[in-house]
Amino acid sequence: MSHPHVIRTPDQRLRIFVSSTLQELAEERRAARNAIERLHLAPVMFELGARPHPPRELYRSYLQQSDVFLGLYWERYGWVAPDEQVSGLEDEYNLCPDDVPRLLYVKASDHRDERLTGLLNRIREDDRAAYKYFETSKELARLVEADLATLLAERFDQSRPSVQDEPDPSLAGLRRSGPDPAVADPVRLPVPLTGLVGRERDIAEIRGMLASGTRFVTLVGAGGIGKSRLAIAAARASAPEFEDGAVFVDLSAVHDPERVPSRIAQSLGVRDTGDAPIMDNLATALRERSILLVLDNFEQVVEAAPALTTLLAEAPELAIMVTSRVLLRISGEQSYDVEPLADEHAVDLFVERAHAVKPDFEITPDNEEAVERVCEALDGVPLAIELAAARVRVLSPAELLERLDRRLSVLVGGPRDLPARQQTIRRTIEWSTQLLDSDQRKLLARLGVFEGGFTLEAAEFVGSENARGGLSDTGDVSADETSDRASSPTGATGATGENDVLESLAALVDSSLVGQHDSDDRPRFSLQAIVREYAREQLARSGEQPAVRDAHARYFLALGDDAEDDLRGAGQRRWMQRLGDERDNLRAAERFLLDGHDWDRAARLAFSLYLYWWVTGLLGEVRTWMEEALSSGDELSAHTRAIALYFSRTIMFWKDPDGSVAADLAESIELFRQTGDPNGEGIASISLALALLAGDAPDTARARRVMEAALDLYRSTGSAWGESMALVLLGRVALREGDLAEAQDHFTASLALTNRSGDRVGQRIASYHLGWTELMLGDVAAARSDFALSVTISAAVGHPEGIAYGLEGMVAVAALSHDDERAGELAGAAQALRERSGLHNGPTFTFHRRYLDDLLSGPHGDEVAAAIAAGRELTVEEAVAEALEVGRGEFEPEEVPENDPGEAP
């Protein structure tokens, strides 16, 4: 069947109309809205609309503009307006256009309004509607997300169907980009824009294995066979069996087995703080969770397999699904062989993919045999079929078959000891590239340097003559140079005449060798892992690899320079989002520089993005990079040594029994001063002050001198961010010295600075510190307001540590308000959040424990202990709502990227 080719731009997201009574289903409406937004769809809800219009006019207009009708029903039929025969609830259902899919969910009840019962009876007989029961808002959210994902796969054609292969970096773009979410979502799986073809039996069998108690399943098959897409579909089907749902971990950009635990941690929202082994944090985070992990593309890090058995032993309700081209061969592993598509399904896939490039393509008596023979020649391998089908725009099936027969019989697709199907896909890639011109083939090879996707500007930079023209005298490129290229009509000058980078990239997308998707307002591109392998082989053979990798590093060095200042102010969210998209490329650039002992540029890339690494919980990884420089035996420049000392010591400020950390930080400060870097001098001063304030015998006098000097320095350079942080540290010095009034003044001034500059991370830090000071001064109401601001900002930016700090402040407020049960609940929620986020090992700046201990030792200690246990079971959203004293499900933080978290200094 042929479908119209619909292209939706990011501002034209599919709209989901939500119909229900408002008050009785407020929590369920919130759950449905969250599920819709997790799929990057637009919820259309009465309470979100403009008010000046009559209600019936409003929802009639909404319905006409919506793509899916989602109805929620419980006990009430709803109000019937004067001169109307039915309630708004029934009217919305009646007005739903006939061609709009209807997903309906009914909450179980024995006390339903009679008219609602009649409406539901009518709905049951409507064959246009899908109809399900639910009991809790959490169950509803899972149903809505799963059903919408299935519906999208079945009903809506998108601009670029995803290739049925593993691993697919473009799948990551279908999730929120950037650093990982703060522990709460029950299902975090990519949402492919097209459905699987012919895999229903596989999904059922894999789901059965997991349901029967199998805890370790490896999906094994050749590259391009469709393991990733199958794993995602099977995980989505199995997710309701796990209380904490399913999480996808993309390992396509991970080449070092030792980095596997860190990648799993990031996908779970567990921070690599560097103060404890990441495996310890993972084990703690997973110990009490019922969750399914999907680890994609494991064959390149197979040596990390023993770490998976360790996690399974530590977390009894954890299950793991792995995709790999080879078995892991560890205890407990059960394999599932992913076979090629059956003949009829292979033809279906060919037709579906052909529609994407030639919407009027159909199977006819004249071409049917040729299509079947094409699929047979390609062994039913999905990626090979899709690459070939993309050519029907210019070749008939008969011409395609002739070219395939001729090419595949003579091409050598790589090592002859590869499995037959692996050779098939490699030969198909080679055949596809033979249909490109020389400039397009060169660009494909160069694009192999990217990890996890890339932007058009980045492709233009590494694909230009600059990428192979050798290194400049400094081996560097300015941020302005990158901006100039990015702003030109086609980017950097193409490798040959008219066939510039943009045109070549478009040809690669048309050929399905490069995938395209959108992230925020910026288009992104990616290569399938097996295509990227091929591209890298060609790049190595060309002799251009060193120059192209250097160009890649120079591009991201310039990106870091551009981001450095904006990360501290109003551009914070935008840059966190963008850098989150580029995280794997940043790592790859850093790895290239480290491997080449290019310590100066490696340190520069690390330090320009200091705030990004800090707020996203990646300082532990940066620390290992800089320790590599310090232990290399090479002579480091003064500025590089300052940076390396800073990163290797800052996260250990609280472990300094002999004063060595403080001494190294003092050396870092002096080196920054000598090399004329006031920002570095100030940042290192903050860490030195923290080291001096730690422990049982703090050196407050020296800490004050260090921070007063840093404050003067930041004021002289006009750095509002630095000034606000210095004021926070001076406030902490004052607290240590018992001068509450001075501390209050410093924290108030810091908050005012961050409010003016738009620094959300700084606002959170300042408001939290101010809350404790005001609590100590006896102003409980003011403290509650400050802690509420800290919680609100932290929830809005998805920062688990900030939420935990705010909850702990609210514990003290509740205790002083004689609300013992609430204090216990919030304490339990904060404790669980720290454990699940990997933030439970290091030092904390909080005083809530003294209030909690008083309650536990008091006459109601048993009730408080029970409340703590109950609080550990709260979701993050429920804990935030409890802290802010709003109805659970009613808290509506502003929508900002998940990747904008921060830490208290």
Side-chain angles (χ1 to χ4, degrees), residues 422-663:
Q422 188 74 3
Q423 292 190 40
T424 296
I425 186 60
R426 292 177 66 85
R427 288 198 299 268
T428 308
I429 294 171
E430 179 73 15
W431 169 80
S432 297
T433 64
Q434 294 298 315
L435 300 177
L436 303 173
D437 66 32
S438 61
D439 294 315
Q440 292 161 3
R441 289 196 295 272
K442 289 176 183 177
L443 178 61
L444 179 64
R446 294 177 186 180
L447 295 180
V449 300
F450 289 106
E451 298 279 9
F454 50 90
T455 62
L456 173 60
E457 292 89 346
E460 288 174 329
F461 190 84
V462 303
S464 70
E465 289 289 352
N466 180 74
R468 62 176 184 176
L471 308 185
S472 66
D473 292 340
T474 62
D476 199 5
V477 63
S478 70
D480 290 339
E481 186 179 348
T482 300
S483 300
D484 290 343
R485 287 193 177 95
S487 62
S488 67
T490 60
T493 303
T496 62
E498 297 179 359
N499 225 356
D500 63 14
V501 172
L502 180 59
E503 291 174 349
S504 294
L505 181 60
L508 295 177
V509 171
D510 286 344
S511 302
S512 290
L513 290 164
V514 172
Q516 180 180 356
H517 56 87
D518 292 317
S519 175
D520 196 19
D521 60 347
R522 179 182 297 270
R524 288 186 67 79
F525 304 87
S526 60
L527 276 66
Q528 293 277 343
I530 196 165
V531 176
R532 187 167 59 245
E533 285 180 16
Y534 174 83
R536 288 177 175 174
E537 289 173 3
Q538 302 309 304
L539 184 63
R541 291 175 184 173
S542 73
E544 291 188 332
Q545 187 180 57
V548 174
R549 288 201 67 187
D550 188 81
H552 175 273
R554 284 184 285 130
Y555 177 84
F556 288 101
L557 278 160
L559 188 73
D561 292 342
D562 285 347
E564 187 171 9
D565 290 337
D566 284 348
L567 279 170
R568 301 189 184 99
Q572 198 172 75
R573 293 183 202 166
R574 176 174 57 87
W575 274 107
M576 288 291 179
Q577 173 75 29
R578 185 171 179 185
L579 294 171
D581 287 341
E582 302 293 1
R583 180 195 299 161
D584 290 326
N585 279 313
L586 293 169
R587 284 179 168 134
E590 184 71 27
R591 188 70 261 160
F592 169 74
L593 297 172
L594 292 171
D595 289 344
H597 286 211
D598 192 342
W599 306 122
D600 289 345
R601 289 199 295 168
R604 171 184 152 198
L605 180 59
F607 201 60
S608 66
L609 298 178
Y610 153 76
L611 194 63
Y612 170 72
W613 308 123
W614 172 35
V615 300
T616 52
L618 294 174
L619 281 181
E621 187 170 348
V622 182
R623 173 190 174 190
T624 63
W625 296 340
M626 294 298 97
E627 286 181 340
E628 190 172 333
L630 288 172
S631 62
S632 67
D634 296 341
E635 183 176 351
L636 304 180
S637 69
H639 193 251
T640 293
R641 179 170 173 79
I643 293 171
L645 282 173
Y646 169 74
F647 276 121
S648 63
R649 303 297 186 261
T650 184
I651 58 179
M652 305 303 294
F653 71 86
W654 52 284
K655 292 182 177 180
D656 194 20
D658 57 2
S660 60
V661 170

Side-chain angles (χ1 to χ4, degrees), residues 52-64:
H53 308 286
R56 195 167 195 264
E57 179 182 336
L58 187 66
Y59 61 69
R60 181 189 292 270
S61 178
Y62 279 178
L63 277 164
Q64 291 301 319

Side-chain angles (χ1 to χ4, degrees), residues 84 132 142 275 481 540 631 636 673 763 771 864 868:
E84 296 290 345
K132 292 185 178 180
R142 293 180 182 179
D275 51 22
E481 186 179 348
S631 62
L636 304 180
R673 183 181 297 121
Q763 285 176 306
V864 174
I868 292 173

Side-chain angles (χ1 to χ4, degrees), residues 844-855:
T844 56
F845 181 77
T846 180
F847 306 98
H848 80 287
R849 190 71 219 183
R850 67 182 66 166
Y851 299 93
L852 191 61
D853 288 343
D854 288 344
L855 294 180

